[in-house]
Amino acid sequence: MTDHTEEKIDRAVLVGLNAGCLSREENASESSMEELAALLETAGGVCVGTVLQNKDTPDPRTFIGEGKVAEVKELVQGTGATMVIFDNALSPSQQRVLSDELGVGVLDRSALILDIFAQRARTKEGRLQVELAQYQYLLPRLLGMWTHLERQEGAIGTRGPGETQLETDRRHIRRKIQKLREELEQVRRVRATQRTRREKNEVPVVAIVGYTNAGKSTLLNTLTGSDIPANNRLFDTLDTTTRTLEISDTCTVLISDTVGFISKLPHHLVEAFKATLEELSFADLLLHVIDSSNPEWREQAAVVESLIYELGASETPRIDVFNKCDRYSGDILPHGEDIVTVSAKTGEGLDRLRSMIGDRLDSGAHRVTLSLPYDKGGLLDTLYKEAKVESVEYGETILVTAVCTPKLLGQLSQYLTDN
């Protein structure tokens, strides 16, 4: 018996425009088109054709010009493509016109990334953030969706009800956006409470940032012995993961993996994910992971630095971690005071990275033994809250071995033993 439940794979033609009047960020190039093809593969689609157009200025109606639209239409029909994806950002009206002209669905890079994020989000927080970004992207495009539905039904004279329904949908989406913002604000408040508790305990926080697929999750796994899924694909990690990293006997830090960045990351997504990414501005140290094996690593690093600045974390101390050094093809590996070259896969350079983290975050804590009188037993609660208690023995006094910060030692100095 034949199985007809096979999953349908979307076949897409990829289109990009390189125009003299557009900025580097807005333009398409051969490398950005390759990245778009990788994004399509991540989303579960397959590329059946690529068109890169060079033009002085974008066409206000069709973006790439009537002649190139006809060429793309021919390619769509010849390959059996089910959609066309643009590397550049399209206006709602351009998207609508192109969909009419080409006879298939038309997406831009932002919509494709939103789709990937929707597939990848696992936690409630991640889903909230993606849903908010999707609604913000959808709102200005509602008119095009309704005219498309009216054309399908072929109902002349349905303009009135259509417009009424359009306004109803707009109000519904605005209410949803407001509700999602309120829920994410609650997430921020919870994070702020957790952050205050960490600061009270004086636990330093390290945040891993970097371009998507630079090896951030693999680095976190290797450093902490975790088993977070780390696959060779774009945006494999969306939900922030935090693990404990023991730097030395007296220095423990929390290290967090964050969502990967990418060029032309939709502004709606940056805004929606600020509930997660704001952790960067409160971190004590950033590890900027750079894929040194990628020929475009300088451009990728610049994208990350720009987003770090936008998120208000440009003043946070940083170490540039050049990962995949075992596959580096240049003559001299990057080097400098705040630079380390590593291979998260083989472990090369990780001892030096740990040492550099310790140099920047070691609070000067010491392991000490304290002799507390029983009438000062309440200080034991303080030690459990603000120090790392290793052992407690009850004898003539309460003997406590703990790793304490200089501030706490100053408060408890009279109870120090000679041991």
Side-chain angles (χ1 to χ4, degrees), residues 5 25 51 61 91 100 169 221-222 276 287 315 369 376 387:
T5 60
E25 173 73 13
V51 176
R61 182 172 176 271
S91 71
D100 286 342
D169 284 357
N221 282 341
T222 310
T276 298
L287 300 184
E315 299 300 314
T369 302
K376 298 292 183 183

Side-chain angles (χ1 to χ4, degrees), residues 110-224:
S110 292
L112 179 60
I113 293 174
L114 281 170
D115 183 81
I116 294 168
F117 270 54
Q119 290 181 42
R120 292 276 186 274
R122 293 289 178 267
T123 64
K124 180 186 177 185
E125 179 188 349
R127 291 192 184 106
L128 282 174
Q129 292 170 130
V130 174
E131 193 177 352
L132 174 59
Q134 285 178 315
Y135 276 124
Q136 289 173 322
Y137 180 83
L138 175 65
L139 191 57
R141 289 165 171 77
L142 273 179
L143 179 61
M145 294 174 66
W146 269 105
T147 53
H148 174 66
L149 289 172
E150 287 167 8
R151 187 191 68 233
Q152 270 192 325
E153 291 166 2
I156 297 172
T158 58
R159 180 178 177 83
E163 287 294 328
T164 305
Q165 184 62 53
L166 178 62
E167 287 308 313
T168 302
D169 284 357
R170 277 180 176 153
R171 281 196 299 274
H172 172 69
I173 287 179
R174 288 191 183 106
R175 281 197 299 269
K176 284 287 293 183
I177 287 173
Q178 184 58 35
K179 185 173 182 293
L180 288 165
R181 281 180 174 152
E182 288 168 2
E183 291 185 54
L184 283 171
E185 189 54 43
Q186 178 60 28
V187 169
R188 279 195 173 95
R189 283 194 288 270
V190 171
R191 282 187 181 277
T193 303
Q194 293 169 340
R195 196 180 302 120
T196 302
R197 194 177 301 127
R198 286 203 305 260
E199 289 167 356
K200 186 177 178 182
N201 294 341
E202 297 188 17
V203 181
V205 176
V206 178
I208 302 177
V209 298
Y211 208 79
T212 184
N213 209 30
K216 299 183 299 301
S217 296
T218 304
L219 179 64
L220 181 63
N221 282 341
T222 310
L223 282 173
T224 64

Side-chain angles (χ1 to χ4, degrees), residues 71-107:
E71 182 184 322
V72 172
K73 184 174 183 178
E74 194 174 310
L75 185 58
V76 166
Q77 292 171 342
T79 58
T82 53
M83 63 175 59
V84 173
I85 303 175
F86 278 72
D87 191 42
N88 316 75
L90 297 173
S91 71
S93 62
Q94 287 168 340
Q95 205 168 340
R96 187 164 64 249
V97 167
L98 285 164
S99 182
D100 286 342
E101 295 276 340
L102 298 172
V104 292
V106 173
L107 305 177

Side-chain angles (χ1 to χ4, degrees), residues 6-20:
E6 224 176 277
E7 188 179 346
K8 182 185 175 186
I9 296 177
D10 286 308
R11 298 162 59 83
V13 171
L14 307 183
V15 181
L17 174 68
N18 181 34

Side-chain angles (χ1 to χ4, degrees), residues 172-363:
H172 172 69
I173 287 179
R174 288 191 183 106
R175 281 197 299 269
K176 284 287 293 183
I177 287 173
Q178 184 58 35
K179 185 173 182 293
L180 288 165
R181 281 180 174 152
E182 288 168 2
E183 291 185 54
L184 283 171
E185 189 54 43
Q186 178 60 28
V187 169
R188 279 195 173 95
R189 283 194 288 270
V190 171
R191 282 187 181 277
T193 303
Q194 293 169 340
R195 196 180 302 120
T196 302
R197 194 177 301 127
R198 286 203 305 260
E199 289 167 356
K200 186 177 178 182
N201 294 341
E202 297 188 17
V203 181
V205 176
V206 178
I208 302 177
V209 298
Y211 208 79
T212 184
N213 209 30
K216 299 183 299 301
S217 296
T218 304
L219 179 64
L220 181 63
N221 282 341
T222 310
L223 282 173
T224 64
S226 302
D227 56 354
I228 301 157
N231 302 302
N232 183 26
R233 60 185 183 187
L234 304 182
F235 294 123
D236 198 52
T237 302
L238 287 194
D239 301 308
T240 302
T241 306
T242 302
R243 294 289 184 270
T244 301
L245 174 62
E246 300 278 349
I247 297 295
S248 67
D249 288 348
T250 57
C251 181
T252 300
V253 303
L254 292 176
I255 184 164
S256 295
D257 187 12
T258 61
V259 62
F261 297 145
I262 197 168
S263 62
K264 307 179 189 176
L265 191 64
H267 182 69
H268 295 321
L269 268 180
V270 177
E271 282 296 313
F273 270 74
K274 275 188 175 175
T276 298
L277 296 174
E278 72 176 1
E279 286 289 292
L280 300 186
S281 58
F282 292 100
D284 299 285
L285 178 68
L286 299 183
L287 300 184
H288 178 187
V289 180
I290 300 164
D291 180 358
S292 63
S293 69
N294 192 313
E296 306 278 333
W297 70 260
R298 288 178 181 81
E299 291 78 7
Q300 293 181 351
V303 168
V304 175
E305 285 171 13
S306 171
L307 285 164
I308 287 173
Y309 178 82
E310 184 180 342
L311 292 162
S314 56
E315 299 300 314
T316 305
R318 192 173 88 207
I319 297 173
D320 288 338
V321 182
F322 282 84
N323 190 25
K324 307 183 187 180
C325 68
D326 52 317
R327 291 164 49 193
Y328 183 70
S329 57
D331 297 326
I332 303 172
L333 282 164
H335 56 281
E337 185 181 349
D338 293 315
I339 291 174
V340 60
T341 55
V342 306
S343 169
K345 187 176 180 181
T346 67
E348 182 182 343
L350 293 187
D351 286 341
R352 180 160 183 261
L353 175 58
R354 287 189 189 93
S355 175
M356 291 173 73
I357 295 171
D359 289 345
R360 285 155 180 76
L361 297 181
D362 195 328
S363 62

